[in-house]
Amino acid sequence: QVQLVESGGGLVQAGGSLRLSCAASGRTFSSYRLGWFRQAPGKEREFVAAIKWNAGITYYADSVKGRFTISRDNAKNTVYLQMNSLKPEDTAVYYCAASPEYYSGSYSSTGSYVYWGQGTQVTVSS
């Protein structure tokens, strides 16, 4: 059974940085895509970034491009989201998600992901 466990959230001032981790277990993720999504209070869950595990190809939402970086560590089966120049509007619960690459749907759609973590809170103060 696939398990995704996020960590690294917290409170940070605007302009600061945080690194989120998503520890993946339960199978080999070489043919998977891993994504980060976020959900602010009263808003829908939205795409942040994704990575194709094997090829290392990355995708970003326009709102975080140039500030966030997604990466993976094959040895640790972990995906990271390095978040720099954080803004108050980045405040949300951040979720890690995974699905096989052959799974239908866009990498940026929540419906394209099968497995989800429990989320980690990120709060950016102004």
Side-chain angles (χ1 to χ4, degrees):
Q1 184 177 355
V2 173
Q3 283 193 319
L4 304 173
V5 180
E6 303 98 332
S7 62
L11 173 64
V12 64
Q13 287 189 333
S17 299
L18 280 175
R19 188 178 79 158
L20 305 183
S21 299
C22 172
S25 62
R27 65 153 297 121
T28 302
F29 291 91
S30 57
S31 297
Y32 267 58
R33 57 185 169 189
L34 278 289
W36 285 98
F37 289 76
R38 66 187 182 187
Q39 188 166 20
K43 294 188 176 182
E44 291 188 355
R45 193 169 297 189
E46 65 174 8
F47 170 73
V48 175
I51 186 168
K52 288 187 176 181
W53 192 281
N54 233 6
I57 298 172
T58 58
Y59 307 89
Y60 296 94
D62 287 343
S63 59
V64 306
K65 206 170 290 184
R67 299 188 298 125
F68 291 10
T69 303
I70 188 171
S71 63
R72 86 261 191 255
D73 184 325
N74 290 337
K76 296 183 178 179
N77 245 21
T78 299
V79 174
Y80 302 99
L81 185 69
Q82 177 67 43
M83 305 186 296
N84 298 329
S85 302
L86 282 161
K87 305 175 182 179
E89 51 263 43
D90 294 318
T91 295
V93 177
Y94 283 69
Y95 297 90
C96 179
S99 71
E101 284 187 13
Y102 64 78
Y103 208 70
S104 62
S106 166
Y107 59 85
S108 61
S109 172
T110 56
S112 302
Y113 292 83
V114 180
Y115 306 103
W116 291 84
Q118 82 289 349
T120 185
Q121 176 71 46
V122 171
T123 303
V124 184
S125 63
S126 56

